[in-house]
Structure formats: structure tokens, C-alpha cells
Amino acid sequence: MRVFSFAACLLLGLLCHPAWSQTKKYSIVIKGGHVIDPKNNIDAVMDVAVEGTPGGEDGKIALVAKNIDPALAVQVVDAKGLYVTPGIIDIHVHFFWGTDLKGTYRNGPNGLQADGFTFRSGVTTVVDAGSSGWKTFETFKKQTIDLSKTRVLAMLNIVGEGMAGGKFENSLDEMDAKATAEMAKKYPNDIVGVKLAHYVGHDWTPTDRALEAGTLANIPIMVDFGSANPVLPLEELYLKKFRKGDIYTHCFGGNSNNSGRGRESIVDVTTNKVKPYTIEAQKRGVIFDVGFGGSSFLLAQGQPAIKQGFYPNSISTDLHTSSMNNAMKDMNNIMSMFLAMGMDFKSVIKASTWNPAQEIHHEELGNLSPGSPADIAILNLRDGNFGFYARDGKITGKKRIETEATIRAGNIVYTLNARVDPINLPRPERPPGGQGQQGQGAGPR
């Protein structure tokens, strides 16, 4: 009598399970959606097939083509009348939540838990924009990066403690370029840039130290100016300080007047035109990121810029406890707002997928190329009368983006109207003491 190991019996059982049968070539097929993949210049009704083990972490794009046989898939998503895009990438969030009540965005009450605020907006990858610094990053990694189903990356704050309030963020002693660079080089898969934020004062030292750290670690920097009197001139930042690929966030914020103090704006309010050096800087490779936030966007800046054809390179939320229920809300809302201001749908998708993937040097993301991670957003573009607002006014629009379903690493992690068949997968058998995964909650760690 031949004796089989428990593992062999388990494997045999999985292979014989109807839902995981060898006749199923794909784990998921998305049928009949209008695919928009800016990297690959796809803008047509196509099907998308995903390969991988249901409930596993290895899902990849297998094929984008016309009329893929749904019988080859374990799960089928009905995307007729919907748009299918790469998973949305939000490069400005604050997800270092915690219990330090004085920590603000660093292990404090202003941060959010990633998975509760991503998938319902089609977001599969985020970049925490400087909530942690070199002293606190490893806590953030253990607490959030390593535990989230969302892919969480980080911009490391030039301030050692991170975004922990003015006491730290205005201390030059906290800004250690070498220590910041060393931490970035220690975790190259997690840290994608260096962040400068909230410094108050007419002093280029914080910018120079961020640039030093970025140069040592060979990663971009993201700058969020605080305020100064007089302002730190953007022309000098863009054309003398920044390298190609460095990022200016809150690009449509700043002053709504010419007071000469606070934070300079990119649109000249006297002419209502984008300042020429800003256009030159974008052509040179400076990245302009939205970072909408609670009050970091002005219609008086965004509307004339879009009308003039100056589009942001990337759309991002600056998502935190204060912004999420204010004018910003989520990625879908501000993507819709940019449609209302006159940005075309394909450009909005590009600024929310492929552009940010390139900005953070993760070109494997933000596209639907075969072999790429199966991170996918399925979107409904609703018609109607919709309103959007910022701290300086409101506008109306005829379109609103709404997430119908989200796939992360080949797993359906969110579905609004249950357009998935079957909606839940049977729980696979596991060895005693193991943890099973089932249904759309299964996903990567």
C-alpha cells in the first residue's frame, strides 16, 4: 500500500476542486469593458484575463484581447458599459495612523488605515508622503506597509521624526540628509523618494538637505512648501534647485493674491495665465502633482491652468482625516473634478495610473501589459449634474467617476454591484493550524 504525504493529498484535492480545475486557464476574465491603458495606447472595448492562483498573491495580467472565452476563467467580471484601467496610484497620502495624540501625521490621529480608503476608489498603490522620517520609518513599515493589502510605498521625510508637528518640522537639527539616504537605501523596495513639508521660513536649507538625501539615494524629492515672508520663489526652485523628476506637490495651491508672503502660486492672478517658467520647468521634467488635501487646491489656480492646457503630471489626494470628508473626499471625486474643469478622460486616467508609476520609478505598475501585476480598476463614468468645490468656490460637471470593482494582485478586493460570477470562491483546504482565505477578501499581504 503506497503512502501519500499530507501535502500531496492536499495538492491533489485542490487540483480536483471544480473551481480550481486545470481546465481553467485564467483566475479572472473581465468581459466587455472599455479598456484604457495609456502606456500601451489601448482605448477600445476589450477583455482582460488574469492568471494566478485564486486567493494567492501572484496574480499577473495574462492577456488583453477581443472575445476571451469566459469558460476559461474561475471568476468572470461583467464590465459591459464600464471602463477598465490599470489600478489607480495615489502618490500623496498620509497613512501612518497611530496612538500618539501629539504625533499628528506621524503615528498619530491624522493618519488613516490604508485598506479602508483605497480599494473603494480603485486605488491599488499609494505613496505615503513624508509621514515618517528615518527615525520612525521602521515602525511605519511594520505597522502599515507589511500589514496592508494595498501596496504602500513611502516618501521619507527629511525630518528624522517625520510629520510630527511644527516643533520637529521647523528644526534644522532634525534634517539629516545622510541618515535619510541610508534608510532609503536600506529599504529600496519601500522608499521611493524624500519629502520636504511644512517648513516655515525664508530659508533654502531644508530644500538643499532634501536634495542632498535624494541625490545620495538616487531617488526624487517631493516639495510641499510651508510659508515664508517673502515667499521662496518657485522659479528658483524649479529651474535652479530641482533635478529632472523632482516633484512639486500642491501645484494648484498657494496664494490667491500677490501678497508676496506665504506660498507662491503658479498662475499669475493679474494675467490669469500660468507663469512661463512653470511651463518651461514641466518641459524640462519637473513633476507637478495635485496633492488636493484639505485646503491645498484653488479653483482660481486649477481652472485657468487646465483651460490653458497646463495639466498636472499626477493627480493625488493628500488623503488624511481632515481632507477625506471635505472638498477632496477621494481619488474618484478629484478625478471627476478635473473632468469638470476640462481635462479629458484619457488624460485623467493617465495622470492617475501610468504617469505616477513612472514618477516613483515603478514602471511595472500603472499598466495592463502581460506579466505586470494584476492591479485593475473598473470604473463607471456616470452622467448627471454634479457639484465640486474647493476653499475658494464651486463648479458643476456632467460626469462623475465611480469605482465598480477593484482587483489587487489578481484578487477581487472590492465590488460595488456584485458584477462577479461566482461572487465568492470556495475556501481551499489548509493544513491544520493554517489560515484559509476566501472570497473577495483574499489578497496579498
Short mmCIF file of all heavy atoms in Angstrom, two decimals, residues 264-329:
data_model
loop_
_atom_site.label_atom_id
_atom_site.label_comp_id
_atom_site.label_asym_id
_atom_site.label_seq_id
_atom_site.Cartn_x
_atom_site.Cartn_y
_atom_site.Cartn_z
N GLU A 264 4.00 80.92 -3.01
CA GLU A 264 3.75 81.44 -4.35
C GLU A 264 2.87 80.48 -5.15
O GLU A 264 2.91 79.27 -4.97
CB GLU A 264 5.07 81.67 -5.07
CG GLU A 264 4.93 82.40 -6.39
CD GLU A 264 6.26 82.60 -7.09
OE1 GLU A 264 7.31 82.15 -6.57
OE2 GLU A 264 6.25 83.19 -8.20
N SER A 265 2.07 81.03 -6.06
CA SER A 265 1.22 80.24 -6.93
C SER A 265 1.78 80.20 -8.34
O SER A 265 2.57 81.05 -8.75
CB SER A 265 -0.19 80.83 -6.96
OG SER A 265 -0.79 80.78 -5.69
N ILE A 266 1.35 79.17 -9.12
CA ILE A 266 1.89 79.02 -10.47
C ILE A 266 1.13 79.84 -11.51
O ILE A 266 1.65 80.11 -12.59
CB ILE A 266 1.93 77.54 -10.90
CG1 ILE A 266 0.51 76.96 -11.05
CG2 ILE A 266 2.75 76.71 -9.93
CD1 ILE A 266 0.49 75.58 -11.69
N VAL A 267 -0.11 80.24 -11.19
CA VAL A 267 -0.87 81.08 -12.10
C VAL A 267 -0.77 82.53 -11.64
O VAL A 267 -1.01 82.84 -10.47
CB VAL A 267 -2.35 80.65 -12.16
CG1 VAL A 267 -3.19 81.66 -12.95
CG2 VAL A 267 -2.48 79.26 -12.79
N ASP A 268 -0.38 83.41 -12.52
CA ASP A 268 -0.30 84.84 -12.23
C ASP A 268 -1.72 85.40 -12.18
O ASP A 268 -2.43 85.40 -13.20
CB ASP A 268 0.52 85.55 -13.31
CG ASP A 268 0.80 87.01 -12.98
OD1 ASP A 268 -0.02 87.64 -12.27
OD2 ASP A 268 1.83 87.53 -13.46
N VAL A 269 -2.15 85.86 -11.01
CA VAL A 269 -3.54 86.30 -10.86
C VAL A 269 -3.83 87.60 -11.60
O VAL A 269 -4.99 87.94 -11.82
CB VAL A 269 -3.92 86.45 -9.37
CG1 VAL A 269 -3.84 85.10 -8.66
CG2 VAL A 269 -3.03 87.48 -8.66
N THR A 270 -2.80 88.32 -11.99
CA THR A 270 -3.03 89.56 -12.75
C THR A 270 -3.34 89.27 -14.22
O THR A 270 -4.09 90.01 -14.88
CB THR A 270 -1.83 90.50 -12.65
OG1 THR A 270 -0.67 89.86 -13.20
CG2 THR A 270 -1.55 90.89 -11.21
N THR A 271 -2.76 88.19 -14.76
CA THR A 271 -2.98 87.82 -16.17
C THR A 271 -3.85 86.59 -16.32
O THR A 271 -4.33 86.30 -17.42
CB THR A 271 -1.63 87.55 -16.86
OG1 THR A 271 -1.01 86.41 -16.24
CG2 THR A 271 -0.71 88.75 -16.75
N ASN A 272 -4.03 85.83 -15.23
CA ASN A 272 -4.77 84.57 -15.23
C ASN A 272 -4.12 83.53 -16.14
O ASN A 272 -4.78 82.67 -16.71
CB ASN A 272 -6.24 84.77 -15.64
CG ASN A 272 -7.18 83.95 -14.78
OD1 ASN A 272 -6.88 83.65 -13.63
ND2 ASN A 272 -8.32 83.58 -15.34
N LYS A 273 -2.79 83.62 -16.25
CA LYS A 273 -2.02 82.69 -17.06
C LYS A 273 -0.96 81.99 -16.22
O LYS A 273 -0.46 82.53 -15.24
CB LYS A 273 -1.31 83.43 -18.21
CG LYS A 273 -2.26 84.12 -19.20
CD LYS A 273 -3.01 83.11 -20.05
CE LYS A 273 -3.86 83.78 -21.10
NZ LYS A 273 -4.63 82.80 -21.92
N VAL A 274 -0.64 80.75 -16.62
CA VAL A 274 0.43 80.02 -15.96
C VAL A 274 1.75 80.76 -16.21
O VAL A 274 2.04 81.17 -17.35
CB VAL A 274 0.52 78.57 -16.48
CG1 VAL A 274 1.69 77.83 -15.84
CG2 VAL A 274 -0.79 77.83 -16.21
N LYS A 275 2.52 80.95 -15.17
CA LYS A 275 3.78 81.68 -15.30
C LYS A 275 4.71 80.93 -16.25
O LYS A 275 4.85 79.71 -16.16
CB LYS A 275 4.41 81.85 -13.92
CG LYS A 275 3.55 82.72 -13.00
CD LYS A 275 4.07 82.74 -11.57
CE LYS A 275 3.13 83.59 -10.69
NZ LYS A 275 3.53 83.58 -9.26
N PRO A 276 5.36 81.64 -17.16
CA PRO A 276 6.15 80.99 -18.21
C PRO A 276 7.22 80.03 -17.69
O PRO A 276 7.43 78.98 -18.28
CB PRO A 276 6.78 82.17 -18.95
CG PRO A 276 5.82 83.30 -18.74
CD PRO A 276 5.28 83.10 -17.36
N TYR A 277 7.86 80.37 -16.56
CA TYR A 277 8.91 79.49 -16.05
C TYR A 277 8.32 78.16 -15.55
O TYR A 277 9.02 77.14 -15.51
CB TYR A 277 9.73 80.16 -14.95
CG TYR A 277 8.96 80.55 -13.71
CD1 TYR A 277 8.62 79.58 -12.76
CD2 TYR A 277 8.60 81.87 -13.46
CE1 TYR A 277 7.92 79.93 -11.60
CE2 TYR A 277 7.90 82.21 -12.32
CZ TYR A 277 7.57 81.25 -11.39
OH TYR A 277 6.88 81.59 -10.25
N THR A 278 7.04 78.14 -15.18
CA THR A 278 6.39 76.90 -14.77
C THR A 278 6.23 75.97 -15.97
O THR A 278 6.49 74.77 -15.89
CB THR A 278 5.02 77.20 -14.14
OG1 THR A 278 5.19 78.03 -13.00
CG2 THR A 278 4.32 75.92 -13.74
N ILE A 279 5.80 76.52 -17.09
CA ILE A 279 5.67 75.74 -18.32
C ILE A 279 7.04 75.22 -18.76
O ILE A 279 7.18 74.05 -19.14
CB ILE A 279 5.02 76.58 -19.43
CG1 ILE A 279 3.60 76.98 -19.01
CG2 ILE A 279 5.00 75.82 -20.76
CD1 ILE A 279 2.93 77.99 -19.93
N GLU A 280 8.05 76.07 -18.66
CA GLU A 280 9.42 75.65 -19.02
C GLU A 280 9.88 74.52 -18.11
O GLU A 280 10.49 73.54 -18.57
CB GLU A 280 10.37 76.84 -18.90
CG GLU A 280 11.82 76.48 -19.24
CD GLU A 280 12.79 77.63 -18.99
OE1 GLU A 280 12.33 78.76 -18.71
OE2 GLU A 280 14.01 77.39 -19.08
N ALA A 281 9.57 74.63 -16.81
CA ALA A 281 10.00 73.61 -15.86
C ALA A 281 9.37 72.25 -16.17
O ALA A 281 10.04 71.21 -16.13
CB ALA A 281 9.64 74.04 -14.44
N GLN A 282 8.07 72.25 -16.50
CA GLN A 282 7.42 70.98 -16.83
C GLN A 282 8.05 70.36 -18.07
O GLN A 282 8.26 69.14 -18.14
CB GLN A 282 5.92 71.18 -17.01
CG GLN A 282 5.13 69.87 -17.10
CD GLN A 282 3.65 70.09 -17.25
OE1 GLN A 282 3.21 70.78 -18.16
NE2 GLN A 282 2.85 69.49 -16.37
N LYS A 283 8.37 71.17 -19.06
CA LYS A 283 9.02 70.67 -20.26
C LYS A 283 10.39 70.09 -19.94
O LYS A 283 10.84 69.15 -20.61
CB LYS A 283 9.14 71.78 -21.30
CG LYS A 283 7.82 72.21 -21.92
CD LYS A 283 8.00 73.34 -22.91
CE LYS A 283 6.67 73.75 -23.55
NZ LYS A 283 6.81 74.91 -24.46
N ARG A 284 11.06 70.63 -18.93
CA ARG A 284 12.38 70.14 -18.53
C ARG A 284 12.31 68.86 -17.70
O ARG A 284 13.33 68.23 -17.45
CB ARG A 284 13.11 71.20 -17.70
CG ARG A 284 13.61 72.39 -18.47
CD ARG A 284 14.47 73.26 -17.55
NE ARG A 284 15.02 74.42 -18.21
CZ ARG A 284 15.93 75.22 -17.66
NH1 ARG A 284 16.39 74.96 -16.43
NH2 ARG A 284 16.39 76.27 -18.31
N GLY A 285 11.09 68.49 -17.26
CA GLY A 285 10.95 67.26 -16.50
C GLY A 285 10.62 67.42 -15.04
O GLY A 285 10.59 66.43 -14.29
N VAL A 286 10.32 68.64 -14.59
CA VAL A 286 9.80 68.84 -13.24
C VAL A 286 8.37 68.30 -13.20
O VAL A 286 7.58 68.54 -14.12
CB VAL A 286 9.84 70.33 -12.83
CG1 VAL A 286 9.09 70.56 -11.52
CG2 VAL A 286 11.29 70.80 -12.70
N ILE A 287 8.05 67.58 -12.12
CA ILE A 287 6.74 66.93 -12.00
C ILE A 287 5.80 67.82 -11.17
O ILE A 287 6.16 68.27 -10.08
CB ILE A 287 6.88 65.56 -11.31
CG1 ILE A 287 7.85 64.67 -12.10
CG2 ILE A 287 5.52 64.89 -11.16
CD1 ILE A 287 7.46 64.39 -13.52
N PHE A 288 4.60 68.03 -11.70
CA PHE A 288 3.59 68.83 -11.00
C PHE A 288 2.47 67.90 -10.54
O PHE A 288 1.77 67.29 -11.36
CB PHE A 288 3.08 69.95 -11.90
CG PHE A 288 4.11 71.02 -12.14
CD1 PHE A 288 5.06 70.88 -13.15
CD2 PHE A 288 4.17 72.14 -11.32
CE1 PHE A 288 6.04 71.84 -13.34
CE2 PHE A 288 5.15 73.11 -11.50
CZ PHE A 288 6.09 72.96 -12.51
N ASP A 289 2.32 67.80 -9.22
CA ASP A 289 1.39 66.87 -8.59
C ASP A 289 0.30 67.65 -7.87
O ASP A 289 0.56 68.68 -7.25
CB ASP A 289 2.16 65.99 -7.60
CG ASP A 289 1.25 65.08 -6.82
OD1 ASP A 289 0.61 64.22 -7.44
OD2 ASP A 289 1.18 65.22 -5.58
N VAL A 290 -0.94 67.13 -7.92
CA VAL A 290 -2.07 67.87 -7.38
C VAL A 290 -2.04 67.98 -5.86
O VAL A 290 -2.11 69.07 -5.29
CB VAL A 290 -3.40 67.25 -7.84
CG1 VAL A 290 -4.58 67.90 -7.13
CG2 VAL A 290 -3.54 67.41 -9.35
N GLY A 291 -1.97 66.84 -5.14
CA GLY A 291 -1.99 66.88 -3.67
C GLY A 291 -3.12 67.75 -3.13
O GLY A 291 -2.90 68.67 -2.36
N PHE A 292 -4.35 67.43 -3.50
CA PHE A 292 -5.51 68.29 -3.26
C PHE A 292 -5.67 68.69 -1.79
O PHE A 292 -5.80 69.87 -1.46
CB PHE A 292 -6.77 67.58 -3.75
CG PHE A 292 -7.96 68.46 -3.91
CD1 PHE A 292 -8.35 68.89 -5.16
CD2 PHE A 292 -8.72 68.86 -2.83
CE1 PHE A 292 -9.46 69.71 -5.34
CE2 PHE A 292 -9.84 69.67 -2.97
CZ PHE A 292 -10.20 70.10 -4.23
N GLY A 293 -5.69 67.71 -0.89
CA GLY A 293 -5.72 67.98 0.54
C GLY A 293 -6.98 68.67 1.03
O GLY A 293 -8.02 68.69 0.39
N GLY A 294 -6.86 69.24 2.24
CA GLY A 294 -7.98 69.94 2.84
C GLY A 294 -8.15 71.34 2.30
O GLY A 294 -9.26 71.83 2.12
N SER A 295 -7.03 72.01 2.01
CA SER A 295 -7.11 73.39 1.51
C SER A 295 -5.92 73.73 0.63
O SER A 295 -5.47 74.86 0.58
CB SER A 295 -7.17 74.37 2.70
OG SER A 295 -6.03 74.21 3.54
N SER A 296 -5.39 72.72 -0.07
CA SER A 296 -4.19 72.91 -0.89
C SER A 296 -4.48 72.97 -2.37
O SER A 296 -3.62 72.71 -3.20
CB SER A 296 -3.19 71.78 -0.60
OG SER A 296 -2.76 71.84 0.74
N PHE A 297 -5.73 73.28 -2.71
CA PHE A 297 -6.13 73.44 -4.11
C PHE A 297 -7.03 74.66 -4.22
O PHE A 297 -7.94 74.85 -3.41
CB PHE A 297 -6.88 72.20 -4.59
CG PHE A 297 -7.44 72.35 -5.98
CD1 PHE A 297 -6.70 71.96 -7.08
CD2 PHE A 297 -8.71 72.88 -6.18
CE1 PHE A 297 -7.20 72.11 -8.37
CE2 PHE A 297 -9.22 73.03 -7.47
CZ PHE A 297 -8.46 72.65 -8.55
N LEU A 298 -6.78 75.46 -5.23
CA LEU A 298 -7.60 76.64 -5.51
C LEU A 298 -8.18 76.53 -6.92
O LEU A 298 -7.44 76.31 -7.88
CB LEU A 298 -6.77 77.92 -5.41
CG LEU A 298 -6.28 78.32 -4.01
CD1 LEU A 298 -5.20 79.38 -4.13
CD2 LEU A 298 -7.43 78.84 -3.18
N LEU A 299 -9.48 76.71 -7.05
CA LEU A 299 -10.08 76.77 -8.38
C LEU A 299 -9.50 77.92 -9.18
O LEU A 299 -9.36 77.83 -10.41
CB LEU A 299 -11.59 76.92 -8.25
CG LEU A 299 -12.35 75.64 -7.86
CD1 LEU A 299 -13.77 75.99 -7.43
CD2 LEU A 299 -12.36 74.64 -9.00
N ALA A 300 -9.14 79.01 -8.49
CA ALA A 300 -8.55 80.16 -9.17
C ALA A 300 -7.20 79.83 -9.79
O ALA A 300 -6.71 80.57 -10.66
CB ALA A 300 -8.40 81.33 -8.19
N GLN A 301 -6.58 78.72 -9.36
CA GLN A 301 -5.35 78.25 -9.96
C GLN A 301 -5.61 77.11 -10.96
O GLN A 301 -5.11 77.12 -12.08
CB GLN A 301 -4.39 77.76 -8.86
CG GLN A 301 -3.84 78.88 -7.98
CD GLN A 301 -2.84 79.75 -8.70
OE1 GLN A 301 -1.89 79.26 -9.29
NE2 GLN A 301 -3.06 81.05 -8.66
N GLY A 302 -6.42 76.14 -10.54
CA GLY A 302 -6.63 74.96 -11.37
C GLY A 302 -7.39 75.24 -12.65
O GLY A 302 -7.00 74.76 -13.73
N GLN A 303 -8.47 76.01 -12.56
CA GLN A 303 -9.29 76.24 -13.75
C GLN A 303 -8.54 76.95 -14.88
O GLN A 303 -8.56 76.48 -16.02
CB GLN A 303 -10.55 77.00 -13.38
CG GLN A 303 -11.63 76.15 -12.73
CD GLN A 303 -12.92 76.92 -12.51
OE1 GLN A 303 -13.00 77.82 -11.70
NE2 GLN A 303 -13.96 76.55 -13.26
N PRO A 304 -7.88 78.08 -14.62
CA PRO A 304 -7.18 78.73 -15.73
C PRO A 304 -6.01 77.91 -16.26
O PRO A 304 -5.72 77.95 -17.46
CB PRO A 304 -6.70 80.06 -15.13
CG PRO A 304 -6.76 79.89 -13.66
CD PRO A 304 -7.85 78.92 -13.39
N ALA A 305 -5.37 77.13 -15.38
CA ALA A 305 -4.27 76.29 -15.85
C ALA A 305 -4.77 75.21 -16.80
O ALA A 305 -4.20 75.00 -17.88
CB ALA A 305 -3.55 75.66 -14.65
N ILE A 306 -5.85 74.52 -16.42
CA ILE A 306 -6.40 73.48 -17.28
C ILE A 306 -6.90 74.08 -18.59
O ILE A 306 -6.69 73.52 -19.68
CB ILE A 306 -7.54 72.73 -16.56
CG1 ILE A 306 -7.01 72.02 -15.30
CG2 ILE A 306 -8.21 71.73 -17.50
CD1 ILE A 306 -5.93 71.01 -15.53
N LYS A 307 -7.56 75.22 -18.50
CA LYS A 307 -8.07 75.89 -19.71
C LYS A 307 -6.92 76.23 -20.66
O LYS A 307 -7.07 76.16 -21.88
CB LYS A 307 -8.83 77.16 -19.32
CG LYS A 307 -9.48 77.88 -20.49
CD LYS A 307 -10.29 79.08 -20.03
CE LYS A 307 -10.96 79.79 -21.21
NZ LYS A 307 -11.76 80.96 -20.75
N GLN A 308 -5.78 76.57 -20.08
CA GLN A 308 -4.61 76.93 -20.89
C GLN A 308 -3.91 75.70 -21.43
O GLN A 308 -3.01 75.80 -22.27
CB GLN A 308 -3.64 77.77 -20.03
CG GLN A 308 -2.53 78.45 -20.79
CD GLN A 308 -1.66 79.31 -19.89
OE1 GLN A 308 -2.11 79.81 -18.86
NE2 GLN A 308 -0.40 79.49 -20.25
N GLY A 309 -4.28 74.50 -20.96
CA GLY A 309 -3.65 73.27 -21.41
C GLY A 309 -2.51 72.81 -20.53
O GLY A 309 -1.77 71.89 -20.89
N PHE A 310 -2.37 73.44 -19.36
CA PHE A 310 -1.34 73.01 -18.41
C PHE A 310 -1.97 71.96 -17.48
O PHE A 310 -2.69 72.31 -16.56
CB PHE A 310 -0.80 74.19 -17.61
CG PHE A 310 0.32 73.82 -16.66
CD1 PHE A 310 1.63 73.83 -17.09
CD2 PHE A 310 0.04 73.43 -15.35
CE1 PHE A 310 2.66 73.47 -16.23
CE2 PHE A 310 1.07 73.08 -14.49
CZ PHE A 310 2.37 73.09 -14.93
N TYR A 311 -1.72 70.68 -17.77
CA TYR A 311 -2.28 69.60 -16.98
C TYR A 311 -1.28 69.14 -15.92
O TYR A 311 -0.07 69.14 -16.16
CB TYR A 311 -2.62 68.40 -17.87
CG TYR A 311 -3.77 68.58 -18.82
CD1 TYR A 311 -4.10 67.59 -19.73
CD2 TYR A 311 -4.53 69.76 -18.83
CE1 TYR A 311 -5.16 67.74 -20.61
CE2 TYR A 311 -5.59 69.92 -19.71
CZ TYR A 311 -5.90 68.90 -20.61
OH TYR A 311 -6.94 69.05 -21.48
N PRO A 312 -1.76 68.71 -14.76
CA PRO A 312 -0.84 68.14 -13.78
C PRO A 312 -0.27 66.84 -14.30
O PRO A 312 -0.95 66.09 -15.02
CB PRO A 312 -1.74 67.90 -12.56
CG PRO A 312 -3.11 67.69 -13.14
CD PRO A 312 -3.17 68.62 -14.33
N ASN A 313 0.97 66.54 -13.95
CA ASN A 313 1.54 65.24 -14.30
C ASN A 313 0.82 64.12 -13.57
O ASN A 313 0.59 63.06 -14.13
CB ASN A 313 3.03 65.21 -13.97
CG ASN A 313 3.82 66.21 -14.78
OD1 ASN A 313 3.98 67.35 -14.37
ND2 ASN A 313 4.29 65.81 -15.95
N SER A 314 0.49 64.37 -12.29
CA SER A 314 -0.18 63.34 -11.50
C SER A 314 -1.26 63.95 -10.63
O SER A 314 -1.11 65.05 -10.10
CB SER A 314 0.83 62.56 -10.64
OG SER A 314 1.63 63.43 -9.86
N ILE A 315 -2.36 63.21 -10.53
CA ILE A 315 -3.46 63.57 -9.64
C ILE A 315 -3.31 62.78 -8.35
O ILE A 315 -3.12 61.56 -8.39
CB ILE A 315 -4.82 63.27 -10.30
CG1 ILE A 315 -5.00 64.16 -11.54
CG2 ILE A 315 -5.97 63.46 -9.33
CD1 ILE A 315 -6.23 63.82 -12.37
N SER A 316 -3.37 63.45 -7.21
CA SER A 316 -3.24 62.76 -5.93
C SER A 316 -4.12 63.46 -4.90
O SER A 316 -4.53 64.60 -5.07
CB SER A 316 -1.79 62.73 -5.45
OG SER A 316 -1.32 64.05 -5.16
N THR A 317 -4.38 62.76 -3.80
CA THR A 317 -5.39 63.23 -2.85
C THR A 317 -4.87 64.07 -1.71
O THR A 317 -5.54 64.99 -1.26
CB THR A 317 -6.13 62.03 -2.24
OG1 THR A 317 -5.18 61.19 -1.56
CG2 THR A 317 -6.88 61.25 -3.28
N ASP A 318 -3.69 63.72 -1.15
CA ASP A 318 -3.30 64.20 0.18
C ASP A 318 -4.37 63.77 1.19
O ASP A 318 -4.93 64.56 1.94
CB ASP A 318 -3.11 65.72 0.19
CG ASP A 318 -2.52 66.24 1.51
OD1 ASP A 318 -2.02 65.43 2.31
OD2 ASP A 318 -2.59 67.46 1.75
N LEU A 319 -4.64 62.48 1.18
CA LEU A 319 -5.72 61.90 1.97
C LEU A 319 -5.33 61.76 3.43
O LEU A 319 -4.31 61.16 3.77
CB LEU A 319 -6.08 60.52 1.39
CG LEU A 319 -7.20 59.73 2.04
CD1 LEU A 319 -8.52 60.48 1.96
CD2 LEU A 319 -7.33 58.37 1.34
N HIS A 320 -6.14 62.35 4.32
CA HIS A 320 -5.95 62.23 5.77
C HIS A 320 -7.29 62.52 6.43
O HIS A 320 -8.29 62.75 5.75
CB HIS A 320 -4.84 63.18 6.26
CG HIS A 320 -4.95 64.59 5.76
ND1 HIS A 320 -5.88 65.49 6.24
CD2 HIS A 320 -4.25 65.24 4.81
CE1 HIS A 320 -5.74 66.65 5.62
NE2 HIS A 320 -4.77 66.53 4.74
N THR A 321 -7.32 62.53 7.75
CA THR A 321 -8.61 62.63 8.44
C THR A 321 -9.32 63.95 8.18
O THR A 321 -10.56 64.00 8.23
CB THR A 321 -8.43 62.45 9.97
OG1 THR A 321 -7.49 63.42 10.45
CG2 THR A 321 -7.94 61.06 10.30
N SER A 322 -8.59 65.01 7.90
CA SER A 322 -9.23 66.31 7.67
C SER A 322 -9.72 66.48 6.25
O SER A 322 -10.75 67.13 6.02
CB SER A 322 -8.25 67.44 8.00
OG SER A 322 -7.89 67.42 9.37
N SER A 323 -9.02 65.88 5.29
CA SER A 323 -9.38 66.10 3.89
C SER A 323 -10.44 65.15 3.37
O SER A 323 -11.15 65.46 2.42
CB SER A 323 -8.13 65.98 3.00
OG SER A 323 -7.62 64.65 3.02
N MET A 324 -10.59 63.99 4.00
CA MET A 324 -11.42 62.94 3.40
C MET A 324 -12.90 63.29 3.37
O MET A 324 -13.63 62.79 2.51
CB MET A 324 -11.22 61.60 4.12
CG MET A 324 -11.72 61.57 5.54
SD MET A 324 -11.37 59.94 6.26
CE MET A 324 -12.30 60.10 7.80
N ASN A 325 -13.39 64.12 4.26
CA ASN A 325 -14.80 64.50 4.26
C ASN A 325 -15.00 65.95 3.86
O ASN A 325 -16.10 66.49 4.01
CB ASN A 325 -15.42 64.25 5.64
CG ASN A 325 -15.50 62.77 5.96
OD1 ASN A 325 -15.81 61.96 5.10
ND2 ASN A 325 -15.20 62.41 7.20
N ASN A 326 -13.94 66.57 3.37
CA ASN A 326 -14.01 67.97 2.94
C ASN A 326 -14.16 68.00 1.42
O ASN A 326 -14.71 67.08 0.83
CB ASN A 326 -12.76 68.72 3.43
CG ASN A 326 -12.99 70.19 3.62
OD1 ASN A 326 -13.54 70.86 2.76
ND2 ASN A 326 -12.57 70.72 4.77
N ALA A 327 -13.65 69.01 0.78
CA ALA A 327 -13.81 69.16 -0.67
C ALA A 327 -13.17 68.00 -1.43
O ALA A 327 -13.66 67.59 -2.48
CB ALA A 327 -13.20 70.48 -1.11
N MET A 328 -12.09 67.45 -0.89
CA MET A 328 -11.34 66.43 -1.62
C MET A 328 -12.08 65.10 -1.71
O MET A 328 -12.33 64.59 -2.77
CB MET A 328 -9.97 66.22 -0.96
CG MET A 328 -9.03 65.31 -1.74
SD MET A 328 -9.34 63.55 -1.50
CE MET A 328 -8.90 63.36 0.21
N LYS A 329 -12.39 64.50 -0.59
CA LYS A 329 -13.11 63.22 -0.45
C LYS A 329 -12.28 62.00 -0.83
O LYS A 329 -11.94 61.20 0.01
CB LYS A 329 -14.44 63.23 -1.19
CG LYS A 329 -15.40 64.27 -0.65
CD LYS A 329 -16.70 64.33 -1.42
CE LYS A 329 -17.63 65.38 -0.85
NZ LYS A 329 -17.10 66.74 -0.97
#
